[in-house]
C-alpha cells in the first residue's frame, strides 16, 4: 500500500475576542499518494487550515491525522520531510536568484547535486533563461513557476498548494494549473490543492467541497485538457 494521509473525526476552531469560530466538525478524509486532490469552497470555510492539518503543519483541535507509509504509521515530521509546498504569495527569498531559490531545499538537506537538480527543474518549468534573475525581476506567473519547481525539486511524496492561482490573471492561472498537475502526474506525486476555482477542481482525480463545517466528495468533469510540462 502506498503512502496515505487519513483524517478521523477531525474538528477545528479558533477564537477571536473570546468568541469561538468553528471551521469544521468531525471531518473524515483519505488522501493517497500518486493521485491529485482538490478541496474547493468559499473563503472562510477553513480550507487553508485543513491543508495545514493534512500536511502535518498544524494540529486539529480534536480528532486525529495519521500518515502511513506501506501500512507503517509515521510521524508528522516524516510527512513534512517528504512534502513540498506552493503558496499564493510565492514565498521566494528576495536575495536569491531563481536557481538558488529552487536549490535551497536540497542545500538544506546537504545535497551535493542541488544546483544540478535545480537547473533541471528550472528547465521543466520553462525558465532556464531566468536562472540568474531575482524574484523582483520576475512576473507573478514566473515567480509561481519557480515556486512550483522548488516544491517538486526534492521529489516529494506529496505537494500541498494553497490557492496557487489566486493572484494570477486568468490565462496565467490556467498555465500554472496545467503545469502543477502535469508535474504531479509525471512524478507520481500526491497533489493536494485548495482553491476557489472549479476549473482547477476539474483537473483533479478527486474533488471535495467544503461548506457549513462539512466536506463532501463531488464529481469532476475531467473535460479540461491538461497541458504538458513546458
Amino acid at each position: 500500500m502506498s503512502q496515505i494521509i487519513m483524517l478521523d473525526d477531525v474538528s477545528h476552531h479558533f477564537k477571536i475576542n473570546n468568541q469561538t469560530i468553528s471551521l469544521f466538525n468531525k471531518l473524515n478524509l483519505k488522501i493517497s499518494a500518486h493521485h491529485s486532490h482538490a478541496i474547493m469552497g468559499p473563503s472562510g470555510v477553513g480550507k487553508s487550515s485543513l491543508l495545514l492539518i493534512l500536511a502535518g503543519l498544524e494540529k486539529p483541535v480534536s480528532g486525529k491525522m495519521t500518515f502511513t507509509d506501506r501500512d507503517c504509521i509515521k510521524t508528522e515530521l516524516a510527512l513534512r520531510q517528504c512534502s513540498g509546498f506552493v503558496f499564493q504569495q510565492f514565498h521566494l527569498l528576495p536575495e536569491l536568484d531563481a536557481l538558488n531559490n529552487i536549490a535551497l531545499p536540497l542545500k538544506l538537506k546537504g545535497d551535493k547535486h542541488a544546483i544540478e537538480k535545480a537547473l533541471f527543474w528550472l528547465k521543466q518549468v520553462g525558465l532556464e533563461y531566468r536562472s540568474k534573475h531575482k524574484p523582483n525581476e520576475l512576473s507573478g506567473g514566473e515567480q509561481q513557476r519557480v515556486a512550483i519547481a522548488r516544491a517538486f525539486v526534492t521529489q516529494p511524496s506529496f505537494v500541498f498548494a494553497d490557492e496557487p492561482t489566486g493572484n494570477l490573471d486568468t490565462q496565467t492561472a490556467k498555465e500554472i494549473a496545467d503545469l502543477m498537475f502535469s508535474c504531479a502526474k509525471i512524478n507520481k506525486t500526491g497533489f493536494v490543492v485548495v482553491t476557489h476555482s472549479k476549473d482547477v477542481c476539474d483537473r483533479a482525480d478527486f474533488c471535495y467541497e467544503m461548506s457549513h463545517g462539512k466536506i463532501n466528495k463531488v464529481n469532476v468533469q475531467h473535460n479540461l485538457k491538461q497541458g504538458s510540462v513546458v
Side-chain angles (χ1 to χ4, degrees), residues 142-161:
E142 288 171 336
Q143 289 185 63
Q144 195 62 298
R145 284 173 178 261
V146 172
I148 291 167
R150 181 184 59 188
F152 281 94
V153 73
T154 58
Q155 295 185 302
S157 299
F158 294 93
V159 167
F160 299 92

Side-chain angles (χ1 to χ4, degrees), residues 143-183:
Q143 289 185 63
Q144 195 62 298
R145 284 173 178 261
V146 172
I148 291 167
R150 181 184 59 188
F152 281 94
V153 73
T154 58
Q155 295 185 302
S157 299
F158 294 93
V159 167
F160 299 92
D162 189 1
E163 295 284 2
T165 62
N167 281 339
L168 305 174
D169 63 77
T170 301
Q171 181 58 36
T172 303
K174 180 183 181 303
E175 293 170 359
I176 291 300
D178 285 343
L179 182 61
M180 288 186 300
F181 281 101
S182 295
C183 287

Side-chain angles (χ1 to χ4, degrees), residues 104-117:
L104 184 60
L106 295 172
K107 289 183 175 181
L108 293 174
K109 293 175 180 285
D111 191 325
K112 296 180 180 180
H113 302 286
I115 293 296
E116 179 184 342
K117 293 177 180 178

Side-chain angles (χ1 to χ4, degrees), residues 87-138:
F87 303 98
Q88 185 175 357
Q89 301 295 336
F90 316 135
H91 292 300
L92 301 176
L93 292 182
E95 67 272 20
L96 298 181
D97 60 28
L99 183 64
N100 281 284
N101 260 291
I102 297 169
L104 184 60
L106 295 172
K107 289 183 175 181
L108 293 174
K109 293 175 180 285
D111 191 325
K112 296 180 180 180
H113 302 286
I115 293 296
E116 179 184 342
K117 293 177 180 178
L119 183 57
F120 169 82
W121 271 99
L122 200 61
K123 291 178 180 178
Q124 289 295 98
V125 299
L127 288 179
E128 63 270 28
Y129 65 99
R130 293 289 221 170
S131 63
K132 298 302 180 184
H133 289 74
K134 293 183 177 179
N136 66 354
E137 300 172 310
L138 302 173

Side-chain angles (χ1 to χ4, degrees), residues 76-94:
E76 292 176 356
L77 176 60
L79 173 58
R80 294 194 294 270
Q81 289 176 335
C82 68
S83 298
F85 301 90
V86 182
F87 303 98
Q88 185 175 357
Q89 301 295 336
F90 316 135
H91 292 300
L92 301 176
L93 292 182

